[in-house]
Amino acid sequence: MPVTRLHVSPDEIRHAFSAAMSDMYRKEVPAYGTLMELVSEVNAETLAANPEFQERLDETDSLARISEERHGAIRLGTAAELAMMRRIFAVMGMYPVGYYDLSTAGVPVHSTAFRPVGEAALKRNPFRVFTSLLRLDLIANEMLRAEAEAVLAGRRIFTEGAIALAEKAEKDGGLGQGDADRFVSEVLETFRWHDRANVSAELYHRLHDAHRLIADVVSFKGPHINHLTPRTLDIDLVQARMPGHGIVPKAVVEGPPTHQCPILLRQTSFKALEEPVSFCAEDGSWQAGSHTARFGEIEQRGIALTPKGRALYDALLTDSRGIVRPAGDGSNAREYEAALAKAFERFPDNWEEIRAQELGYFSYSLTEKGRKAGNRTDDNLEQWIADGLVQFDPIVYEDFLPVSAAGIFQSNLGDDAQHEFAASPNQLHFEAELGTSVLNEFDHYAGIEQASIEACRRALNWTEAAE
């Protein structure tokens, strides 16, 4: 059923929820507010130093969204939780894009990213939530696995109000303003921090010994948001300035090295907080303890790569890590960064060459000259570019990188030990539990690129008959 004028658009509900989530997290984790101020400062300086870059962002309607941009991350425990979360996010115009298997990097989850997918929706509010499902099948201890399953089976992470309003939105094709406001309030409860665990201290420690992330997922009432991530235009500058703001960054920025033409995604973060929690004792009393899960993260986004570009990226990353793998304590950070930079000398660092080698996706639009041009009788994109009629801009990568995500998880869980899990990516099983298929990111970006080319063709009034 389509959204009507009586309904609030999913984009507006997502915008309200993103703002509410940010306000809640700022109160729960004050260092997040400090991080936001630092990112705002760096972004303003970067734009002031590069007027041409600011002008292109403005012309492509990308400037306004940067200050609003956030992504968060949650970890779910059961297929039922994942399926309901999909329905919740759909009310906000957020859909599953991509499949990520993190077991190959020693983290017992597989994941997708819920996000808006249309150009207009992304410009209104590009809120994303990287959503992971715990792989209980990767817990080797059968008794521990059964205990974890029993705990997860007994919890309810959604309020009755959130479920009822999601069902109403599905039935009616949307929500009115009052219901939309209530929906945001009810769903926010799922992401709120709870300092009372669902398990005893003894079970928590056994889960923790299996993997810290398992303890985080199983032990609490709900999937508290474990970080919110603003987007910066210069992640290296943020990394350098974090200590001066009382924030200790992780030793290595995850993802590709610094480039003049940024590719994919770079991420850094500050160490997760050790927070007081209470565990339920056998006599019904509460036993004081602590838990480490929530942290702050920053990201810098670059161009979305084609399958060819992504294969080159993966190969270069593997090459660099074959020389030096980043140590969990950061002791070899400089050595790793040098190896990474050396390996990526093979990746072009100008937009013309990236496009010529078909390594990245671009959006095409008419220049001022092109808008004034008469009808063209040729259908040659390269000639239109050479004649100054058409220009191209990199399409922003809106998704995630599994190796980077695992690196952030491991660093901020304080887990220096290397866990080995039987890597067994199973997208079909994940999609069955999700209740739908995930969107293929490469197909999506290719579609955006092709649509921009078709728009140029129509604007230049090219037809086969004219040929």
mmCIF file with all atom_site columns, all heavy atoms in Angstrom, residues 350-364:
data_model
loop_
_atom_site.group_PDB
_atom_site.id
_atom_site.type_symbol
_atom_site.label_atom_id
_atom_site.label_alt_id
_atom_site.label_comp_id
_atom_site.label_asym_id
_atom_site.label_entity_id
_atom_site.label_seq_id
_atom_site.pdbx_PDB_ins_code
_atom_site.Cartn_x
_atom_site.Cartn_y
_atom_site.Cartn_z
_atom_site.occupancy
_atom_site.B_iso_or_equiv
_atom_site.pdbx_formal_charge
_atom_site.auth_seq_id
_atom_site.auth_comp_id
_atom_site.auth_asym_id
_atom_site.auth_atom_id
_atom_site.pdbx_PDB_model_num
ATOM 1   N N   . ASN A 1 350 ? 43.844 9.225  -9.177  1.00 0.00 ? 350 ASN A N   1
ATOM 2   C CA  . ASN A 1 350 ? 43.163 10.358 -9.810  1.00 0.00 ? 350 ASN A CA  1
ATOM 3   C C   . ASN A 1 350 ? 41.886 9.832  -10.451 1.00 0.00 ? 350 ASN A C   1
ATOM 4   O O   . ASN A 1 350 ? 41.829 8.683  -10.907 1.00 0.00 ? 350 ASN A O   1
ATOM 5   C CB  . ASN A 1 350 ? 44.049 11.095 -10.819 1.00 0.00 ? 350 ASN A CB  1
ATOM 6   C CG  . ASN A 1 350 ? 44.410 10.234 -12.018 1.00 0.00 ? 350 ASN A CG  1
ATOM 7   O OD1 . ASN A 1 350 ? 43.613 10.068 -12.937 1.00 0.00 ? 350 ASN A OD1 1
ATOM 8   N ND2 . ASN A 1 350 ? 45.616 9.656  -12.004 1.00 0.00 ? 350 ASN A ND2 1
ATOM 9   N N   . TRP A 1 351 ? 40.868 10.676 -10.474 1.00 0.00 ? 351 TRP A N   1
ATOM 10  C CA  . TRP A 1 351 ? 39.544 10.212 -10.896 1.00 0.00 ? 351 TRP A CA  1
ATOM 11  C C   . TRP A 1 351 ? 39.552 9.767  -12.362 1.00 0.00 ? 351 TRP A C   1
ATOM 12  O O   . TRP A 1 351 ? 38.868 8.792  -12.715 1.00 0.00 ? 351 TRP A O   1
ATOM 13  C CB  . TRP A 1 351 ? 38.519 11.320 -10.710 1.00 0.00 ? 351 TRP A CB  1
ATOM 14  C CG  . TRP A 1 351 ? 38.299 11.754 -9.290  1.00 0.00 ? 351 TRP A CG  1
ATOM 15  C CD1 . TRP A 1 351 ? 38.309 13.028 -8.811  1.00 0.00 ? 351 TRP A CD1 1
ATOM 16  C CD2 . TRP A 1 351 ? 38.030 10.917 -8.151  1.00 0.00 ? 351 TRP A CD2 1
ATOM 17  N NE1 . TRP A 1 351 ? 38.059 13.037 -7.464  1.00 0.00 ? 351 TRP A NE1 1
ATOM 18  C CE2 . TRP A 1 351 ? 37.883 11.756 -7.026  1.00 0.00 ? 351 TRP A CE2 1
ATOM 19  C CE3 . TRP A 1 351 ? 37.912 9.536  -7.975  1.00 0.00 ? 351 TRP A CE3 1
ATOM 20  C CZ2 . TRP A 1 351 ? 37.617 11.271 -5.748  1.00 0.00 ? 351 TRP A CZ2 1
ATOM 21  C CZ3 . TRP A 1 351 ? 37.641 9.033  -6.704  1.00 0.00 ? 351 TRP A CZ3 1
ATOM 22  C CH2 . TRP A 1 351 ? 37.497 9.905  -5.615  1.00 0.00 ? 351 TRP A CH2 1
ATOM 23  N N   . GLU A 1 352 ? 40.324 10.451 -13.212 1.00 0.00 ? 352 GLU A N   1
ATOM 24  C CA  . GLU A 1 352 ? 40.331 10.090 -14.629 1.00 0.00 ? 352 GLU A CA  1
ATOM 25  C C   . GLU A 1 352 ? 40.844 8.665  -14.834 1.00 0.00 ? 352 GLU A C   1
ATOM 26  O O   . GLU A 1 352 ? 40.268 7.892  -15.603 1.00 0.00 ? 352 GLU A O   1
ATOM 27  C CB  . GLU A 1 352 ? 41.202 11.088 -15.420 1.00 0.00 ? 352 GLU A CB  1
ATOM 28  C CG  . GLU A 1 352 ? 40.629 12.489 -15.530 1.00 0.00 ? 352 GLU A CG  1
ATOM 29  C CD  . GLU A 1 352 ? 40.817 13.304 -14.253 1.00 0.00 ? 352 GLU A CD  1
ATOM 30  O OE1 . GLU A 1 352 ? 41.580 12.845 -13.345 1.00 0.00 ? 352 GLU A OE1 1
ATOM 31  O OE2 . GLU A 1 352 ? 40.203 14.382 -14.140 1.00 0.00 ? 352 GLU A OE2 1
ATOM 32  N N   . GLU A 1 353 ? 41.933 8.308  -14.125 1.00 0.00 ? 353 GLU A N   1
ATOM 33  C CA  . GLU A 1 353 ? 42.502 6.974  -14.298 1.00 0.00 ? 353 GLU A CA  1
ATOM 34  C C   . GLU A 1 353 ? 41.623 5.912  -13.653 1.00 0.00 ? 353 GLU A C   1
ATOM 35  O O   . GLU A 1 353 ? 41.472 4.805  -14.185 1.00 0.00 ? 353 GLU A O   1
ATOM 36  C CB  . GLU A 1 353 ? 43.911 6.931  -13.703 1.00 0.00 ? 353 GLU A CB  1
ATOM 37  C CG  . GLU A 1 353 ? 44.678 5.652  -14.033 1.00 0.00 ? 353 GLU A CG  1
ATOM 38  C CD  . GLU A 1 353 ? 44.907 5.465  -15.522 1.00 0.00 ? 353 GLU A CD  1
ATOM 39  O OE1 . GLU A 1 353 ? 44.926 6.473  -16.269 1.00 0.00 ? 353 GLU A OE1 1
ATOM 40  O OE2 . GLU A 1 353 ? 45.055 4.305  -15.937 1.00 0.00 ? 353 GLU A OE2 1
ATOM 41  N N   . ILE A 1 354 ? 41.030 6.225  -12.506 1.00 0.00 ? 354 ILE A N   1
ATOM 42  C CA  . ILE A 1 354 ? 40.109 5.267  -11.864 1.00 0.00 ? 354 ILE A CA  1
ATOM 43  C C   . ILE A 1 354 ? 38.947 4.966  -12.799 1.00 0.00 ? 354 ILE A C   1
ATOM 44  O O   . ILE A 1 354 ? 38.526 3.815  -12.948 1.00 0.00 ? 354 ILE A O   1
ATOM 45  C CB  . ILE A 1 354 ? 39.609 5.835  -10.516 1.00 0.00 ? 354 ILE A CB  1
ATOM 46  C CG1 . ILE A 1 354 ? 40.759 5.861  -9.494  1.00 0.00 ? 354 ILE A CG1 1
ATOM 47  C CG2 . ILE A 1 354 ? 38.439 5.012  -9.980  1.00 0.00 ? 354 ILE A CG2 1
ATOM 48  C CD1 . ILE A 1 354 ? 40.415 6.554  -8.187  1.00 0.00 ? 354 ILE A CD1 1
ATOM 49  N N   . ARG A 1 355 ? 38.444 6.017  -13.463 1.00 0.00 ? 355 ARG A N   1
ATOM 50  C CA  . ARG A 1 355 ? 37.335 5.811  -14.401 1.00 0.00 ? 355 ARG A CA  1
ATOM 51  C C   . ARG A 1 355 ? 37.803 5.072  -15.644 1.00 0.00 ? 355 ARG A C   1
ATOM 52  O O   . ARG A 1 355 ? 37.128 4.151  -16.126 1.00 0.00 ? 355 ARG A O   1
ATOM 53  C CB  . ARG A 1 355 ? 36.719 7.162  -14.786 1.00 0.00 ? 355 ARG A CB  1
ATOM 54  C CG  . ARG A 1 355 ? 35.365 7.054  -15.484 1.00 0.00 ? 355 ARG A CG  1
ATOM 55  C CD  . ARG A 1 355 ? 34.811 8.424  -15.821 1.00 0.00 ? 355 ARG A CD  1
ATOM 56  N NE  . ARG A 1 355 ? 35.506 8.997  -16.959 1.00 0.00 ? 355 ARG A NE  1
ATOM 57  C CZ  . ARG A 1 355 ? 35.141 8.797  -18.233 1.00 0.00 ? 355 ARG A CZ  1
ATOM 58  N NH1 . ARG A 1 355 ? 34.089 8.020  -18.529 1.00 0.00 ? 355 ARG A NH1 1
ATOM 59  N NH2 . ARG A 1 355 ? 35.816 9.344  -19.209 1.00 0.00 ? 355 ARG A NH2 1
ATOM 60  N N   . ALA A 1 356 ? 38.972 5.439  -16.161 1.00 0.00 ? 356 ALA A N   1
ATOM 61  C CA  . ALA A 1 356 ? 39.476 4.801  -17.383 1.00 0.00 ? 356 ALA A CA  1
ATOM 62  C C   . ALA A 1 356 ? 39.695 3.305  -17.183 1.00 0.00 ? 356 ALA A C   1
ATOM 63  O O   . ALA A 1 356 ? 39.443 2.510  -18.102 1.00 0.00 ? 356 ALA A O   1
ATOM 64  C CB  . ALA A 1 356 ? 40.780 5.477  -17.820 1.00 0.00 ? 356 ALA A CB  1
ATOM 65  N N   . GLN A 1 357 ? 40.148 2.927  -15.981 1.00 0.00 ? 357 GLN A N   1
ATOM 66  C CA  . GLN A 1 357 ? 40.390 1.512  -15.706 1.00 0.00 ? 357 GLN A CA  1
ATOM 67  C C   . GLN A 1 357 ? 39.141 0.795  -15.196 1.00 0.00 ? 357 GLN A C   1
ATOM 68  O O   . GLN A 1 357 ? 39.205 -0.387 -14.854 1.00 0.00 ? 357 GLN A O   1
ATOM 69  C CB  . GLN A 1 357 ? 41.529 1.375  -14.689 1.00 0.00 ? 357 GLN A CB  1
ATOM 70  C CG  . GLN A 1 357 ? 42.884 1.817  -15.202 1.00 0.00 ? 357 GLN A CG  1
ATOM 71  C CD  . GLN A 1 357 ? 44.012 1.440  -14.248 1.00 0.00 ? 357 GLN A CD  1
ATOM 72  O OE1 . GLN A 1 357 ? 43.952 0.427  -13.541 1.00 0.00 ? 357 GLN A OE1 1
ATOM 73  N NE2 . GLN A 1 357 ? 45.064 2.255  -14.231 1.00 0.00 ? 357 GLN A NE2 1
ATOM 74  N N   . GLU A 1 358 ? 38.023 1.507  -15.126 1.00 0.00 ? 358 GLU A N   1
ATOM 75  C CA  . GLU A 1 358 ? 36.742 0.942  -14.682 1.00 0.00 ? 358 GLU A CA  1
ATOM 76  C C   . GLU A 1 358 ? 36.853 0.338  -13.282 1.00 0.00 ? 358 GLU A C   1
ATOM 77  O O   . GLU A 1 358 ? 36.348 -0.740 -13.002 1.00 0.00 ? 358 GLU A O   1
ATOM 78  C CB  . GLU A 1 358 ? 36.239 -0.101 -15.683 1.00 0.00 ? 358 GLU A CB  1
ATOM 79  C CG  . GLU A 1 358 ? 35.993 0.479  -17.068 1.00 0.00 ? 358 GLU A CG  1
ATOM 80  C CD  . GLU A 1 358 ? 35.449 -0.550 -18.045 1.00 0.00 ? 358 GLU A CD  1
ATOM 81  O OE1 . GLU A 1 358 ? 35.613 -1.774 -17.787 1.00 0.00 ? 358 GLU A OE1 1
ATOM 82  O OE2 . GLU A 1 358 ? 34.857 -0.149 -19.062 1.00 0.00 ? 358 GLU A OE2 1
ATOM 83  N N   . LEU A 1 359 ? 37.516 1.093  -12.406 1.00 0.00 ? 359 LEU A N   1
ATOM 84  C CA  . LEU A 1 359 ? 37.696 0.638  -11.029 1.00 0.00 ? 359 LEU A CA  1
ATOM 85  C C   . LEU A 1 359 ? 36.626 1.186  -10.089 1.00 0.00 ? 359 LEU A C   1
ATOM 86  O O   . LEU A 1 359 ? 36.424 0.638  -9.001  1.00 0.00 ? 359 LEU A O   1
ATOM 87  C CB  . LEU A 1 359 ? 39.078 1.044  -10.511 1.00 0.00 ? 359 LEU A CB  1
ATOM 88  C CG  . LEU A 1 359 ? 40.287 0.503  -11.290 1.00 0.00 ? 359 LEU A CG  1
ATOM 89  C CD1 . LEU A 1 359 ? 41.572 1.075  -10.731 1.00 0.00 ? 359 LEU A CD1 1
ATOM 90  C CD2 . LEU A 1 359 ? 40.299 -1.022 -11.236 1.00 0.00 ? 359 LEU A CD2 1
ATOM 91  N N   . GLY A 1 360 ? 35.970 2.285  -10.473 1.00 0.00 ? 360 GLY A N   1
ATOM 92  C CA  . GLY A 1 360 ? 34.991 2.911  -9.598  1.00 0.00 ? 360 GLY A CA  1
ATOM 93  C C   . GLY A 1 360 ? 33.742 3.324  -10.363 1.00 0.00 ? 360 GLY A C   1
ATOM 94  O O   . GLY A 1 360 ? 33.733 3.385  -11.600 1.00 0.00 ? 360 GLY A O   1
ATOM 95  N N   . TYR A 1 361 ? 32.679 3.614  -9.603  1.00 0.00 ? 361 TYR A N   1
ATOM 96  C CA  . TYR A 1 361 ? 31.407 4.054  -10.188 1.00 0.00 ? 361 TYR A CA  1
ATOM 97  C C   . TYR A 1 361 ? 31.319 5.580  -10.140 1.00 0.00 ? 361 TYR A C   1
ATOM 98  O O   . TYR A 1 361 ? 31.687 6.202  -9.145  1.00 0.00 ? 361 TYR A O   1
ATOM 99  C CB  . TYR A 1 361 ? 30.234 3.462  -9.424  1.00 0.00 ? 361 TYR A CB  1
ATOM 100 C CG  . TYR A 1 361 ? 30.094 1.964  -9.556  1.00 0.00 ? 361 TYR A CG  1
ATOM 101 C CD1 . TYR A 1 361 ? 30.452 1.119  -8.503  1.00 0.00 ? 361 TYR A CD1 1
ATOM 102 C CD2 . TYR A 1 361 ? 29.597 1.385  -10.723 1.00 0.00 ? 361 TYR A CD2 1
ATOM 103 C CE1 . TYR A 1 361 ? 30.314 -0.260 -8.610  1.00 0.00 ? 361 TYR A CE1 1
ATOM 104 C CE2 . TYR A 1 361 ? 29.460 0.009  -10.841 1.00 0.00 ? 361 TYR A CE2 1
ATOM 105 C CZ  . TYR A 1 361 ? 29.817 -0.812 -9.777  1.00 0.00 ? 361 TYR A CZ  1
ATOM 106 O OH  . TYR A 1 361 ? 29.690 -2.164 -9.883  1.00 0.00 ? 361 TYR A OH  1
ATOM 107 N N   . PHE A 1 362 ? 30.760 6.159  -11.219 1.00 0.00 ? 362 PHE A N   1
ATOM 108 C CA  . PHE A 1 362 ? 30.649 7.606  -11.319 1.00 0.00 ? 362 PHE A CA  1
ATOM 109 C C   . PHE A 1 362 ? 29.230 8.013  -11.709 1.00 0.00 ? 362 PHE A C   1
ATOM 110 O O   . PHE A 1 362 ? 28.511 7.269  -12.387 1.00 0.00 ? 362 PHE A O   1
ATOM 111 C CB  . PHE A 1 362 ? 31.637 8.155  -12.353 1.00 0.00 ? 362 PHE A CB  1
ATOM 112 C CG  . PHE A 1 362 ? 33.071 8.041  -11.925 1.00 0.00 ? 362 PHE A CG  1
ATOM 113 C CD1 . PHE A 1 362 ? 33.789 6.867  -12.158 1.00 0.00 ? 362 PHE A CD1 1
ATOM 114 C CD2 . PHE A 1 362 ? 33.700 9.095  -11.280 1.00 0.00 ? 362 PHE A CD2 1
ATOM 115 C CE1 . PHE A 1 362 ? 35.114 6.751  -11.759 1.00 0.00 ? 362 PHE A CE1 1
ATOM 116 C CE2 . PHE A 1 362 ? 35.025 8.979  -10.867 1.00 0.00 ? 362 PHE A CE2 1
ATOM 117 C CZ  . PHE A 1 362 ? 35.730 7.817  -11.107 1.00 0.00 ? 362 PHE A CZ  1
ATOM 118 N N   . SER A 1 363 ? 28.868 9.198  -11.273 1.00 0.00 ? 363 SER A N   1
ATOM 119 C CA  . SER A 1 363 ? 27.596 9.797  -11.656 1.00 0.00 ? 363 SER A CA  1
ATOM 120 C C   . SER A 1 363 ? 27.883 10.883 -12.689 1.00 0.00 ? 363 SER A C   1
ATOM 121 O O   . SER A 1 363 ? 28.763 11.728 -12.483 1.00 0.00 ? 363 SER A O   1
ATOM 122 C CB  . SER A 1 363 ? 26.901 10.399 -10.428 1.00 0.00 ? 363 SER A CB  1
ATOM 123 O OG  . SER A 1 363 ? 25.695 11.042 -10.806 1.00 0.00 ? 363 SER A OG  1
ATOM 124 N N   . TYR A 1 364 ? 27.139 10.860 -13.785 1.00 0.00 ? 364 TYR A N   1
ATOM 125 C CA  . TYR A 1 364 ? 27.380 11.778 -14.889 1.00 0.00 ? 364 TYR A CA  1
ATOM 126 C C   . TYR A 1 364 ? 26.281 12.846 -14.919 1.00 0.00 ? 364 TYR A C   1
ATOM 127 O O   . TYR A 1 364 ? 25.111 12.559 -14.655 1.00 0.00 ? 364 TYR A O   1
ATOM 128 C CB  . TYR A 1 364 ? 27.416 11.015 -16.213 1.00 0.00 ? 364 TYR A CB  1
ATOM 129 C CG  . TYR A 1 364 ? 28.569 10.034 -16.278 1.00 0.00 ? 364 TYR A CG  1
ATOM 130 C CD1 . TYR A 1 364 ? 28.457 8.748  -15.754 1.00 0.00 ? 364 TYR A CD1 1
ATOM 131 C CD2 . TYR A 1 364 ? 29.788 10.408 -16.834 1.00 0.00 ? 364 TYR A CD2 1
ATOM 132 C CE1 . TYR A 1 364 ? 29.520 7.852  -15.793 1.00 0.00 ? 364 TYR A CE1 1
ATOM 133 C CE2 . TYR A 1 364 ? 30.857 9.518  -16.889 1.00 0.00 ? 364 TYR A CE2 1
ATOM 134 C CZ  . TYR A 1 364 ? 30.708 8.251  -16.363 1.00 0.00 ? 364 TYR A CZ  1
ATOM 135 O OH  . TYR A 1 364 ? 31.774 7.373  -16.395 1.00 0.00 ? 364 TYR A OH  1
#
